[in-house]
Amino acid sequence: MALRLQRLPSSSPAAAIVARVAAVALALAAAGTLLAAGGARPLDLAGQVLRSTFGSDFGLEDVGLLLTPLILTGLSVAVALRIGAWNIGADGQFYAGAFAASGVALFIPGPTVLMLPLMFVAGAAGGLVWILIPTLARAFAEVSELITTLLLNFVATLLVYYVSTGPWLDPGGHALATTARLVHDVPEFWGLIHWGFPLTIVICLVVAATLGFTKWGYEVRIAGSNPQAAAYAGIPFRRRLVAVMLLSGAIAGVAGMLEVAGTVHRLQGGISNNFGYLGIMVAVLARGSCVGVIAAAALMAVILNSGIVLQTQGVNTSTVLAITGLILFFTAIGDELAHFRLVRARPAES
Amino acid sequence: MDLITSMLQTSILAGGVLALAALGEVLAERVGVVNLGVEGLMALGAITAIATVVTTGSPAAGFVLALIVGLAVGMVFATIVVQVRANQVLCGLALTLMGTGFAATIGRAYSGMPAPAVFAPFELPYLSSLPLIGRALFSQNVLVYLTYFVLPALIHLLMFRTRHGLNLRAVGENPAAADAAGIAVQKIRFWYVAAGAALAAGAGAYLTLAFVPSWSEGVVAGRGWIAVALVIFAGYRPLNAVLAALLFGVITSLGFVGQARNWPVAAPILSMLPYLGTIAFIIVPVVAWRRMRLAMAAPAALGVPYHRDLR
């Protein structure tokens, strides 16, 4: 009996999950093989990574600190994907949020209880402003948001570099390329983990619930999966697109605010740590599911943290970026393969 | 006078990097494949060129090897997006992450090392003594002539003056119809994506062999993305793409001039110009000249994988 492959228009959830897990495993195996070819001993390294990540409070704290920005940037990308928009600019919105929140902290005096919420709003507004032009261009002139959001990343990086080495440079003069220490901190509750982490989980669940259980969320999902059907049903696609993209930018901006106010405490160049780009990975691994983002972010946090461990072994952070690229590659292939199933071949009709 | 000549010279050098990458992207997009891996391919080309020239001392070897590396990586990318038909956006982003990450990993050993040899200027007799534009246009290295005159002309003729060119454009517009007419859709897509990737890597080599003759992490600095945007701005036409790249060369050189002449604007702000310019140039024309949209539209099947059995 002959078998043949048949392609289905959509993949079954089970096949999709198997494809994702297999993709990550294969990508890590491929990376391990490459590292071995470069003279490293991948199995020893993997053991070391697991021990130092899960074997100590210190390692778990590190993972926890990485989780907050990764969940938020991942959520930012995932939300935009729901309506079919690619926000490749979460990195820039992250910087813009960090910039706006730091500006508030540096130049407006006030008690911390009031200032933290104000910084939060400023961070969200910063991210929102940063995605405003790509959003309007996409909604009203059909200009691909992929490239406009991405190019603004470079502008935001330069902006933060400029203020932290120029006008906002620490007047105390001890640090070279950073602003003064921000006086308002997001309080910590376990080691170095600050309250931004539970807040992030709450934001994630609220966004998931809004998209999953409200009329607005339903309309967004319909508009994302079939714009024609949405138009036919009287859903204002353009208005939903604008709202979702602005929300996406604001979420990435909040990530930047929490990073300056909770973890780094100063505005400086390189503060985004590629979180925006890694957010794309997180969103793709989560298949655009907002709750799935938490799990995908946890995986990314462990991989990122192993990058820090690997650095002591002569493997640097750019290698980790290359490995995430490899995972993304395998995921894209796995996604496509998950569409196929084996069927019995029928004799050709004559 | 002198200022204009030196600005034009810088513009041409800077624009050439973008032109080469944009020409490669025109090839890929015309057959219906978006390659968002240009940034990563440029990084790979740049480090290949520097590593080769440090080892062999020959910039020509560096450029050729970068083309070969680009072609090989492009063939892998094409296998995945054309044959396996995986999502082009995801694979392009993955290629960029991998390319920049891998190049930075190898590049650590070469960081900050000046290229021991670069392409030397080659003066075209008579033309180079023209006033104002002579030195800038006709006393450049061989890569500049290749990028501005030879390649665009060849690609334009191939694309718009041959039957093969008609076929390749048909593949990007309507692969099902092309397939029915007996054109080998997958084969054409595969080779043009691979060739486009080779040119992108060549653009990276141009960067480190002729423009900023050394490697540093982040040396590509978004030029790959600007090149992708330029293709849209140029309406997917090779000659327009080169002119658009030159325009961006001018914007880049404006930043350099500003820095050199101590304009009262900070250097990082001047460095924003090419990115802001790119965004303005892909948004403004669509808004200002709505009727141009049809003429400048993307190939109809751009980004859509072709499955014969789902036709």
Side-chain angles (χ1 to χ4, degrees):
Chain A
M1 195 177 301
L3 291 172
R4 70 181 188 93
L5 283 172
Q6 183 190 37
R7 189 181 189 280
L8 306 170
S10 64
S11 53
S12 75
I17 289 173
V18 170
R20 280 227 170 0
V21 174
V24 173
L26 279 173
L28 289 179
T33 315
L34 278 177
L35 284 176
R41 297 169 64 192
L43 286 181
D44 287 0
L45 283 179
Q48 215 166 346
V49 163
L50 291 178
R51 263 198 308 283
S52 59
T53 305
F54 297 106
S56 66
D57 282 0
F58 188 67
L60 285 175
E61 268 177 43
D62 275 350
V63 172
L65 279 183
L66 292 168
L67 254 175
T68 306
L70 284 172
I71 291 176
L72 286 172
T73 53
L75 183 67
S76 163
V77 180
V79 163
L81 271 179
R82 272 302 175 87
I83 199 151
W86 282 100
N87 179 11
I88 313 293
D91 221 52
Q93 295 136 27
F94 185 101
Y95 273 116
F99 166 77
S102 305
V104 166
L106 287 171
F107 299 107
I108 302 177
T112 299
V113 234
L114 280 180
M115 292 313 288
L116 278 178
L118 195 62
M119 286 167 71
F120 182 91
V121 172
L128 187 144
V129 165
W130 215 249
I131 204 175
L132 189 63
I133 288 176
T135 302
L136 297 178
R138 162 75 198 268
F140 295 96
E142 278 111 56
V143 173
S144 162
E145 74 288 354
L146 226 137
I147 292 160
T148 48
T149 52
L150 189 125
L151 287 170
L152 282 174
N153 289 346
F154 296 96
V155 179
T157 312
L158 286 165
L159 177 70
V160 166
Y161 172 75
Y162 167 65
V163 294
S164 60
T165 55
W168 292 6
L169 183 64
D170 184 7
H174 297 297
L176 265 181
T178 143
T179 64
R181 193 182 192 288
L182 304 184
V183 285
H184 312 292
D185 293 343
V186 179
E188 284 141 6
F189 66 92
W190 183 73
L192 289 170
I193 313 282
H194 54 81
W195 281 99
F197 178 59
L199 180 67
T200 293
I201 303 281
V202 171
I203 293 176
C204 199
L205 295 178
V206 167
V207 171
T210 311
L211 279 169
F213 303 118
T214 65
K215 176 166 175 271
W216 183 84
Y218 175 71
E219 291 184 353
V220 165
R221 281 181 291 136
I222 297 291
S225 57
N226 192 339
Q228 272 96 30
Y232 187 69
I235 296 169
F237 177 75
R238 197 175 271 170
R239 212 186 301 165
R240 298 288 174 271
L241 177 71
V242 170
V244 169
M245 283 182 72
L246 295 182
L247 175 67
S248 166
I251 293 171
V254 166
M257 176 269 168
L258 287 177
E259 190 71 5
V260 274
T263 308
V264 185
H265 304 297
R266 290 168 186 274
L267 185 67
Q268 58 196 38
I271 192 179
S272 101
N273 211 353
N274 287 324
F275 286 133
Y277 297 99
L278 296 167
I280 303 169
M281 286 281 316
V282 169
V284 167
L285 283 176
R287 299 201 90 203
S289 142
C290 298
V291 182
V293 159
I294 298 177
L299 175 69
M300 275 315 301
V302 172
I303 292 176
L304 258 189
N305 189 53
S306 42
I308 300 167
V309 177
L310 289 178
Q311 256 173 320
T312 59
Q313 307 292 317
V315 181
N316 55 49
T317 43
S318 20
T319 314
V320 178
L321 205 61
I323 293 173
T324 54
L326 205 60
I327 297 176
L328 195 54
F329 240 134
F330 277 81
T331 310
I333 298 172
D335 263 10
E336 178 56 30
L337 296 183
H339 280 88
F340 287 91
R341 67 167 185 192
L342 272 177
V343 291
R344 256 182 241 147
R346 293 223 190 92
E349 291 166 35
S350 52
Chain B
M1 190 77 166
D2 226 26
L3 173 74
I4 295 179
T5 307
S6 74
M7 233 184 100
L8 199 58
Q9 188 139 17
T10 316
S11 308
I12 286 173
L13 271 180
V17 179
L18 297 173
L20 204 51
L23 283 172
E25 189 68 7
V26 166
L27 290 181
E29 299 210 1
R30 272 287 178 167
V31 295
V33 176
V34 192
N35 181 356
L36 295 182
V38 179
E39 180 85 4
L41 286 160
M42 281 178 74
L44 287 176
I47 190 60
T48 307
I50 274 289
T52 313
V53 82
V54 164
T55 323
T56 67
S58 155
F63 186 70
V64 171
L65 209 62
L67 288 179
I68 294 173
V69 167
L71 188 73
V73 176
M75 284 164 75
V76 174
F77 178 73
T79 306
I80 294 168
V81 297
V82 176
Q83 312 296 352
V84 182
R85 302 174 181 89
N87 184 310
Q88 294 176 8
V89 171
L90 284 188
C91 290
L93 292 173
L95 182 53
T96 287
L97 287 178
M98 277 170 62
T100 45
F102 195 60
T105 305
I106 313 171
R108 208 141 286 215
Y110 299 93
S111 195
M113 201 185 281
V118 293
F119 279 104
F122 177 79
E123 296 206 6
L124 294 183
Y126 307 115
L127 287 174
S128 63
S129 48
L130 284 173
L132 213 59
I133 57 163
R135 288 212 63 77
L137 263 178
F138 301 111
S139 176
Q140 294 277 15
N141 63 65
V142 61
L143 285 185
V144 169
Y145 302 126
L146 189 74
T147 312
Y148 280 95
F149 304 116
V150 182
L151 261 179
L154 282 179
I155 293 176
H156 179 83
L157 289 178
L158 171 85
M159 217 173 247
F160 298 105
R161 293 283 180 274
T162 66
R163 169 168 293 235
H164 177 74
L166 189 62
N167 288 352
L168 85 86
R169 284 182 289 138
V171 165
E173 293 292 343
N174 190 338
D179 194 12
I183 301 168
V185 173
Q186 302 294 62
K187 201 167 127 192
I188 287 186
R189 282 194 166 176
F190 181 92
W191 286 111
Y192 278 96
V193 170
L199 290 187
Y206 180 128
L207 185 67
T208 49
L209 289 177
F211 187 41
V212 278
S214 74
W215 165 266
S216 60
E217 206 177 322
V219 71
V220 183
R223 287 189 178 86
W225 293 101
I226 293 181
V228 175
L230 284 186
V231 174
I232 304 172
F233 175 53
Y236 307 86
R237 288 168 173 76
L239 299 183
N240 287 2
V242 174
L243 290 177
L246 183 57
L247 184 63
F248 275 83
V250 174
I251 295 179
T252 310
S253 77
L254 217 61
F256 287 154
V257 170
Q259 252 160 286
R261 315 206 120 204
N262 284 320
W263 286 358
V265 185
I269 305 287
L270 285 172
S271 310
M272 290 177 189
L273 283 176
Y275 311 110
L276 292 174
T278 312
I279 295 169
F281 276 112
I282 56 176
I283 294 178
V284 172
V286 214
V287 178
W289 298 285
R290 298 219 149 214
R291 286 160 70 200
M292 260 173 57
R293 263 198 225 176
L294 263 183
M296 308 294 269
L302 187 61
V304 186
Y306 176 61
H307 294 268
R308 176 178 268 177
D309 45 349
L310 292 187
R311 198 164 49 186

